Amino acid sequence: MDQVATLQLESVDLQSSRNNREHHTQEMGVKRLTVRRGQLFYLRLSFSRPFQSQSDHITFVAETGPKPSELLGTRATFFLTRVRPGNVWSASDFTIDSNSLHVSLFTPANAVIGHYILKIEISQGQGHSVTYPLGTFILLFNPWSPEDDVYLPSEILLQEYVMQDYGFVYKGHERFITSWPWNYGQFEEDIIDICFEILNKSLHYLKNPAKDCSQRNDVVYVCRVVSAMINSNDDNGVLQGNWSEDYSEGVSPLEWNGSVAILRQWSARGGQPVKYGQCWVFASVMCTVMRCLGVPTRVVSNFRSAHNVDRNLTIDTYYDRNAEMLSTQKRDKIWNFHVWNECWMIRKDLPPGYNGWQVLDPTPQQTSSGLFCCGPASVKAIREGDVHLVYDTPFVYAEVNADEVIWLLRDGQAQEILAHNTSSIGKEISTKMVGSHQHQSITSSYKYPEGSPEERAVFRKASRKMLGPQRASSPFLDLLESRGLRDEPAQLQLHLARIPEWGQDLQLLLRIRRVPDITHPQGPIGLVVRFCAQALLHGGGTRKPLWRHTVRVNLDFGKETQWPLLLPYSNYRSKLTDEKLIRVSGIAEVEETGRSMLVLKDISLEPPHLSIEVSERAEVGKALRVHVTLTNTLMVALSSCTMVLEGSGLVNGQITKDLGTLVAGHTLQIQLDLYPTKAGPRQLQVLISSNEVKEIKGYKDIFVTATGAP
């Protein structure tokens, strides 16, 4: 009998185009094989002769990370079989076509994610084996697979939280929520490599690379590593935080349009932290990384967010008798808004019932297991006050549930509680509505209705766990409860007389209504109302007063009076932060008793608006004319204007233009051509910044047709 010729591999077709399309990774390109775990992908192997299943033995080998090991789950060997054997590495369902072998490969739904090398070993009978490289592939989490811990059973939600490469961050103030367009760009060609570069620069990897890679099958572990690596407090993370308002050594957090430029700069400079980020930048970059890795992720804004370092569930703020909000050495603050992420996953490390959305917060606020990271904390656990569950649930619970105690300070001592607010923290918790540009309130996912019996019961439950039974029932807390029902002789409210625009005088209206109280059930009272306006910092602090005013009022029982107030533009012109927020505070002192009442109004100033128009039809590779128009509606010129355009599939990287000075009342018109590179729904983001206003943003949704489409 003739000896059969040795089987030799001559060529490999990884079928990247077909596989990437079926694995929802074609947006990353089709030059490389990029697949998701728990799902078949297909290869064609061409040999020197027809494959003979009886005598030819093929063993597949897949390896990832340094020192691949079957024990650690970073190396898999598996044989060619007729039938797929279950949730394990396998090569099956093969067909023979002349000298070609078509084979289906399967990766288990709990496989380690990462860059893999794929090889085959060929042997005949008991003879020696020869190893051939087949190529490389990238393996990602698979939210389409019911066996994967990140499985999300809704195609609409998968399109929103995995495939959508642009979105909105919600900023500002609970009553003036502004949409901030952001280019996530998770499918730009090099972003997937940068995501794994981030994992490979973590302290966990540097300490024990093989062990770190072996844990990348666990989405909880990967999320915590990414949360720590987006900030640079412990490591060469992606972004350096800066809340000082001095951004001269880098880029102001307000001047970023998207994540791609940040991630590319970090990678190009060898992992040097990019300057600078604040919460919405940290969270948006983490959203890019997690969506790229295959984890359903969204960006969430919490308005009036507590930073409760001492975990006592109360945040103290202080005013003097002239209504000035005072700075304090305490680290406890109430941020105007704070932005974090939610990632969707099964929590096998928790008791049943805590799957679904989990909070992850890459902004460096406090350490968790020795590193500046936060989460994943189950949103369900936060709502139910189950603050004993990992990770960092007490901190997130306080961010949305802490009480605010406002004190009047006299001679450096806290003399009087002006207010105890049980519902002023954790307002309008918002994320982008699915399939819409509107924001959606998800506050009810985090807590029961404010003041409801369920909400107070959960608060007491969390207090006992966080404070201990003694402190949770202290006389001080009892005092706070009683102060919530303070008896006041008058009701004070501040209203805006017209929409506040930056560059215009601000008109307010004080309304005072005399109501019965224990001390003065009837009769007139005299009030001295002292007002103070201060620039409000994003982190909850204020600048020095920029305006003061005093009003004296005599008020008869049952009567109401209105008092107009004017805050001139000249007072705040050079005094505001880039956020353009003003807090107007008023303290009314009752002349007959000396008791005080507080009235507050936060004002968010509207910047000028820009408009973006495009020619009717956008097509891949063809010039698309874009018109950007900005009218300076302010009373002053905008100097050193620059424009940055960004948008995945529309712009390669960024386009930057210097625009010079825009005189008050004048209009700027810019025309330029873009050459779209990807079909489908796209978003163009435009940022114009100047010395006077940092954040004039606009966006335009553009549907791009494929080349030659009818």
Side-chain angles (χ1 to χ4, degrees), residues 357-659:
W357 291 116
Q358 314 286 320
V359 172
L360 284 132
D361 190 347
T363 300
Q365 295 181 89
Q366 65 163 17
T367 58
S368 173
S369 303
L371 295 177
F372 277 93
C373 65
C374 179
S378 163
V379 173
K380 178 75 178 297
I382 295 160
R383 188 174 195 253
E384 300 301 331
D386 294 326
V387 293
H388 60 290
L389 298 175
V390 291
Y391 291 87
D392 310 303
T393 312
F395 186 78
V396 184
Y397 179 86
E399 285 184 301
V400 300
N401 281 299
D403 284 5
E404 179 187 18
V405 183
I406 303 175
W407 297 85
L408 180 65
L409 227 60
R410 295 180 195 267
D411 304 321
Q413 297 293 316
Q415 293 287 327
E416 186 179 347
I417 295 176
L418 292 170
H420 168 223
N421 299 324
T422 61
S423 61
S424 65
I425 286 171
K427 308 295 283 185
E428 287 296 325
I429 304 172
S430 299
T431 193
K432 177 183 174 297
M433 189 179 290
V434 175
S436 164
H437 293 169
Q438 302 300 310
H439 74 273
Q440 173 189 356
S441 175
I442 54 171
T443 311
S444 60
S445 300
Y446 281 81
K447 51 187 175 181
Y448 290 95
E450 293 284 8
S452 68
E454 296 92 341
E455 185 265 339
R456 285 290 94 185
V458 166
F459 188 84
R460 285 191 293 272
K461 171 182 166 183
S463 299
R464 283 194 299 272
K465 288 177 179 173
M466 291 173 68
L467 307 176
Q470 285 77 32
R471 287 181 67 197
S473 58
S474 68
F476 173 68
L477 289 179
D478 294 340
L479 168 69
L480 289 184
E481 291 292 341
S482 67
R483 299 302 279 184
L485 301 170
R486 248 173 70 130
D487 205 30
E488 309 283 18
Q491 292 174 347
L492 286 80
Q493 290 179 316
L494 271 173
H495 296 275
L496 283 163
R498 69 176 187 193
I499 293 171
E501 290 187 49
W502 195 88
Q504 308 289 335
D505 294 344
L506 304 180
Q507 296 178 8
L508 297 102
L509 202 61
L510 171 67
R511 285 190 181 141
I512 311 174
R513 184 165 171 264
R514 172 77 171 92
V515 292
D517 69 324
I518 296 167
T519 317
H520 290 90
Q522 305 285 334
I525 57 167
L527 295 176
V528 178
V529 190
R530 298 178 179 90
F531 289 100
C532 176
Q534 295 167 273
L536 198 54
L537 307 178
H538 170 58
T542 52
R543 283 183 171 175
K544 292 291 182 189
L546 54 86
W547 174 81
R548 293 186 187 274
H549 191 70
T550 303
V551 171
R552 284 180 169 77
V553 181
N554 288 311
L555 205 58
D556 288 329
F557 179 73
K559 296 291 185 184
E560 181 177 313
T561 187
Q562 296 187 4
W563 203 283
L565 302 169
L566 183 72
L567 202 170
Y569 168 60
S570 57
N571 280 66
Y572 71 78
R573 174 179 176 176
S574 58
K575 304 287 177 61
L576 298 190
T577 68
D578 291 336
E579 296 287 335
K580 302 285 186 275
L581 273 170
I582 298 175
R583 170 162 291 175
V584 178
S585 317
I587 289 187
E589 192 174 308
V590 183
E591 291 180 319
E592 288 77 7
T593 63
R595 276 180 53 187
S596 300
M597 295 174 288
L598 176 71
V599 62
L600 297 174
K601 185 71 177 177
D602 290 342
I603 302 169
S604 176
L605 298 175
E606 285 275 315
H609 295 278
L610 59 83
S611 72
I612 307 161
E613 297 299 331
V614 297
S615 52
E616 284 184 22
R617 182 181 167 88
E619 186 178 325
V620 171
K622 285 196 174 179
L624 176 67
R625 179 63 54 92
V626 176
H627 305 264
V628 180
T629 307
L630 173 66
T631 300
N632 182 1
T633 55
L634 309 185
M635 296 161 65
V636 294
L638 297 176
S639 58
S640 301
C641 294
T642 58
M643 179 177 73
V644 179
L645 287 86
E646 193 168 323
S648 288
L650 295 170
V651 178
N652 184 16
Q654 293 178 319
I655 297 173
T656 304
K657 273 186 168 310
D658 288 324
L659 305 175

